[in-house]
């Protein structure tokens, strides 16, 4: 019994001595426990903004605030999460601004380049801020005298707080690392105090919006309109098929800029968003965009995907065809929204002439115009899954530039655009062959509009790698029944 008590007393004494050693020891000198990390380490720029976190044995402390420790992330687990559709981490601000392809300008340099932002150099104003024309030496990118050196466009951010800075940083992020002939080239930026500016290549012809809707602007020919549509489609297609998909989210006529040869380039990436990865079909985000161009399903659910850009492209394509704005409250109530006004007029392809831009004066290929209008209808389909991809849209638009679809016949009579229901013309107009499908580009059986469906042999399964052609069947059904839209 005595031996038992002696062993207990000895064990208790050893525990007390160990406790005293721990209490007297400096906590900062303790080696960090394996597998423990401060939660603040997971936040972007945390080490810069708040200093390195203090990691102790079992407790993480930052600025006298304690929290439960989190396990150190496993790299292999992170890769697996990315495969399952977790969007990768957004680069930090310092990483974005350190792009080797961009120059960091001083505010004084850009002030000299734009003549101290003189009103005579003012090019326009958008949601981001004012745009000024400036001049830089081509080799050194230093300020040059007016009308000498290389012309550039300088965007000056309005003071909009954190949201304005986010959009400015988003534009630097995407245009700083993406290069394509149909994207406006970003030359550099300025971040100095409250001043945030962006420097782009200068686009002499301005925006597509001005050419379409400005009263005294020279009307765009049919060939030029198709050239603009193809160029813009190439830009969107590049974004959607990039290694890390980019959703533009603000595709509209005012963001399509034109060079001297009317080559289209996309600008203003302030609302751009990284697309879903892995098996994800969309990303959930705050609803942002422009009325009339934004996908109604995205507005309703907040689910963003590349098909949202397809919807916006369909709206712009209708603008190119009709010469009308996506939203125009100066018109009659039934004509406020372009997509609502145009659909009834496409129930009968013979009445396509009723929606075409009167500025074209009938100088357009009726068959090509019908195909373009049908394609636009696909793009604005209410169900996202039935819309084509931008790669498919681009393929069809490129076909419209072929001589087969560019043959302009004698101009038809141009009726006055109205919101009334279209009446069937007394004599059929030769818009397109009845046996030709504008989507499949192959002959199809013609049948009365309300004929019963005929049982057909089941289609053979498409081989792997030909999914794009297999998907056309779902669009052809929409073409055949577009009278019911």
């Amino acid at each position: 019994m005595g031996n038992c008590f002696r062993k207990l007393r000895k064990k208790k004494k050893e525990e007390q001595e160990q406790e005293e050693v721990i209490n007297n020891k400096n906590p900062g000198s303790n080696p960090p426990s394996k597998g423990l990390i401060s939660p603040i380490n997971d936040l972007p720029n945390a080490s810069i903004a708040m200093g390195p976190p203090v990691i102790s044995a079992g407790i993480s402390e930052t600025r006298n605030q304690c929290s439960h420790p989190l396990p150190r992330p496993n790299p292999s687990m992170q890769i697996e999460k990315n495969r399952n559709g977790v969007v990768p981490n957004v680069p930090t601000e310092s990483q974005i601004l350190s792009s080797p392809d961009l120059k960091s300008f001083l505010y004084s340099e850009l002030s000299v380049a734009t003549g101290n932002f003189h009103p005579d150099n003012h090019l326009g104003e958008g949601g981001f801020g004012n745009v000024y024309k400036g001049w830089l030496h081509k080799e050194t990118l230093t300020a040059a005298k007016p009308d000498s050196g290389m012309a550039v466009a300088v965007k000056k951010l309005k003071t909009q707080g954190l949201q304005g800075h986010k959009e400015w940083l988003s534009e630097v992020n995407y245009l700083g690392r993406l290069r394509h002939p149909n994207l406006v080239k970003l030359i550099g930026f300025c971040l100095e105090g409250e001043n945030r500016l962006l420097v782009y290549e200068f686009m002499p012809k301005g925006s597509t919006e001005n050419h379409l809707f400005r009263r005294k602007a020279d009307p765009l020919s049919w060939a030029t309109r198709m050239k603009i549509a193809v160029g813009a489609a190439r830009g969107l297609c590049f974004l959607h098929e990039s290694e890390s998909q980019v959703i533009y989210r603000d595709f509209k006529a005012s963001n399509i800029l034109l060079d001297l040869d009317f080559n289209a380039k996309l600008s203003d990436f302030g609302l751009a968003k990284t697309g879903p990865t892995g098996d994800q079909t969309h990303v959930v985000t705050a609803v942002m965009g422009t009325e009339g161009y934004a996908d109604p399903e995205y507005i309703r659910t907040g689910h963003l995907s590349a098909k949202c850009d397809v919807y916006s492209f369909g709206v712009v394509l209708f603008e190119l065809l009709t010469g009308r704005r996506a939203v125009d409250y100066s018109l009659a109530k039934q004509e406020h929204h372009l997509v609502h006004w145009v659909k009834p007029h496409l129930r009968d392809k013979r009445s396509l002439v009723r929606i075409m831009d009167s500025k074209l004066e009938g100088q357009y290929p009726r068959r090509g115009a019908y195909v373009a209008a049908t394609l636009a209808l696909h793009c604005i389909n209410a169900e996202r899954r039935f819309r084509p991809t931008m790669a498919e849209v681009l393929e069809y638009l490129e076909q419209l530039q072929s001589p087969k679809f560019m043959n302009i016949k004698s101009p038809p009579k141009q009726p006055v655009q109205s919101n009334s229901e279209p009446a069937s013309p007394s004599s059929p107009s030769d818009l397109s062959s009845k046996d030709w499908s504008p989507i499949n580009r192959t002959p199809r059986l013609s049948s009365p509009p309300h004929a019963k469906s005929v049982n057909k042999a089941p289609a053979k399964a498409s081989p792997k790698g030909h999914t794009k052609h297999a998907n056309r069947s779902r669009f052809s059904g929409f073409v055949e029944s577009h009278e019911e839209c």
Side-chain angles (χ1 to χ4, degrees), residues 185-443:
K185 182 181 178 181
L186 181 65
I187 299 173
F189 63 88
C190 172
L191 177 61
E192 188 176 317
E194 296 296 323
N195 297 310
R196 285 161 178 79
L197 300 93
L198 297 171
V199 182
Y200 303 89
E201 63 173 319
F202 179 67
M203 302 295 287
K205 293 294 185 181
S207 72
T208 302
E209 179 186 46
N210 290 339
H211 287 275
L212 281 176
F213 310 126
R214 185 173 288 178
R215 289 185 177 181
K216 295 182 180 180
D218 294 332
L220 297 173
S221 67
W222 173 259
T224 301
R225 297 181 194 220
M226 289 300 99
K227 184 176 183 178
I228 293 171
V230 169
R234 284 175 181 158
L236 281 181
C237 189
F238 167 75
L239 296 177
H240 292 178
E241 295 185 350
S242 297
E243 184 177 355
S244 178
Q245 186 187 65
V246 178
I247 302 174
Y248 190 60
R249 200 161 56 153
D250 199 22
F251 184 83
K252 54 186 178 181
S254 61
N255 285 343
I256 305 174
L257 303 185
L258 307 171
D259 65 9
L260 279 174
D261 298 321
F262 287 95
N263 294 305
K265 300 190 180 188
L266 305 185
S267 67
D268 197 349
F269 279 66
L271 299 185
K273 190 81 174 176
T274 302
T277 59
D279 297 331
Q280 285 187 337
T281 59
H282 61 269
V283 293
V284 181
T285 181
V287 177
M288 303 184 77
T290 304
E291 182 186 7
Y293 297 94
D295 178 9
E297 184 176 344
Y298 167 57
I299 296 174
R300 186 174 65 255
T301 64
H303 295 173
L304 182 68
S305 74
K307 293 297 182 74
C308 298
D309 285 345
V310 175
Y311 180 93
S312 303
F313 185 89
V315 177
V316 172
L317 188 52
F318 271 130
E319 287 185 324
L320 289 169
L321 294 174
T322 65
R324 290 196 177 203
R325 294 181 181 272
V327 178
D328 190 347
Y329 291 111
S330 66
L331 301 175
K333 185 176 181 180
Q334 297 86 347
E335 304 178 44
H336 284 175
H337 291 84
L338 177 60
V339 296
H340 297 160
W341 171 78
V342 77
K343 284 183 180 180
H345 292 277
L346 294 177
R347 290 176 180 171
D348 188 337
K349 63 184 180 182
R350 292 172 297 179
S351 57
L352 174 70
V353 65
R354 295 176 177 270
I355 71 165
M356 296 301 293
D357 189 356
S358 58
K359 293 179 182 178
L360 286 169
E361 297 181 345
Q363 296 299 310
Y364 60 88
R366 287 168 282 172
R367 187 180 184 185
Y370 170 65
V371 176
T374 306
L375 181 59
L377 277 176
H378 282 292
C379 294
I380 64 169
N381 196 307
E383 292 194 51
R384 189 178 293 179
R385 60 196 177 101
F386 291 130
R387 298 172 196 161
T389 63
M390 282 310 305
E392 291 170 327
V393 172
L394 177 58
E395 181 184 356
Y396 305 140
L397 287 174
E398 287 176 337
Q399 289 291 326
L400 293 182
Q401 291 185 308
S402 65
K404 178 180 178 181
F405 294 100
M406 293 298 290
N407 182 25
I408 299 178
K409 299 181 180 180
S410 58
K413 292 182 180 180
Q414 186 80 15
V416 178
Q417 294 181 351
S418 67
N419 62 330
S420 59
E421 288 293 325
S424 298
S426 56
S427 60
S429 58
D430 184 22
L431 286 175
S432 174
S433 171
K434 294 180 180 180
D435 298 332
W436 186 84
S437 167
I439 296 301
N440 285 331
R441 298 197 301 277
T442 55

Side-chain angles (χ1 to χ4, degrees), residues 15 19 36 94 105 107 110 112 117 167 231 236 248 250 259 268 279 308 315 339 393 423 425 460 468 482:
E15 291 176 353
E19 185 176 357
L36 301 178
S94 59
F105 289 92
Y107 183 82
L110 298 182
V112 172
F117 303 101
E167 293 183 14
L236 281 181
Y248 190 60
D250 199 22
D259 65 9
D268 197 349
D279 297 331
C308 298
V315 177
V339 296
V393 172
K460 295 181 181 180
K468 182 173 69 173
H482 75 276

